[in-house]
Amino acid sequence: MTVAYWIVAALLAVFYLYAGGKKVAQSQEQLRPMMGWVDRVPMPAVRTIGVLEVLGAVGLILPPLTGVAPWLALASAIGLLLVQVGGIVVHLSRGEARLIGLNIGLLVAAGTAGWLGTVWL
């Protein structure tokens, strides 16, 4: 099960490093084609979400890898789970229920990483 944690955590980390990095580094115009909701959310909030996603990705990997404060992996998984709850709320408020599939998948993956990190690491 430790291997399962590392697979789920690595996949989540790659996704969130990419998605969070884009939110941190790109302009609203560059993000709009991929993330239509950026028109509705102030850019400082978009940047904050990006930073939280990057920190969550790092938190899934570094603490268990180094053995320093491994409980941060659980905190990171919970934080990423909450990011996806927020994403689902935003999509539903915009009438985009058909777009929440990725959010639900990431929500399940973050929950799985949190569970695996608590039980098997």
Side-chain angles (χ1 to χ4, degrees), residues 5 9 12-14 16-17 51-65 72-73 76 80:
Y5 172 81
L12 280 172
V14 167
Y16 282 113
L17 284 173
V51 168
L52 292 173
E53 289 176 346
V54 169
L55 289 174
V58 171
L60 287 174
I61 303 298
L62 282 185
L65 188 63
L72 284 174
S76 296
L80 294 173

Side-chain angles (χ1 to χ4, degrees), residues 28-86:
Q28 189 176 33
E29 293 75 29
Q30 292 171 311
L31 292 172
R32 190 176 298 120
M34 190 172 166
M35 304 170 203
W37 56 270
V38 297
D39 286 340
R40 196 167 189 205
V41 178
M43 278 311 287
V46 174
R47 303 262 189 251
T48 301
I49 293 166
V51 168
L52 292 173
E53 289 176 346
V54 169
L55 289 174
V58 171
L60 287 174
I61 303 298
L62 282 185
L65 188 63
T66 62
V68 177
W71 59 269
L72 284 174
L74 175 60
S76 296
I78 292 169
L80 294 173
L81 193 136
L82 293 174
V83 166
Q84 291 311 312
V85 169

Side-chain angles (χ1 to χ4, degrees), residues 76-115:
S76 296
I78 292 169
L80 294 173
L81 193 136
L82 293 174
V83 166
Q84 291 311 312
V85 169
I88 290 169
V89 169
V90 168
H91 282 306
L92 292 177
S93 72
R94 291 172 47 93
E96 301 172 339
R98 69 192 193 301
L99 297 178
I100 65 170
L102 177 61
N103 299 93
I104 292 171
L106 291 168
L107 183 103
V108 169
T112 301
W115 176 74

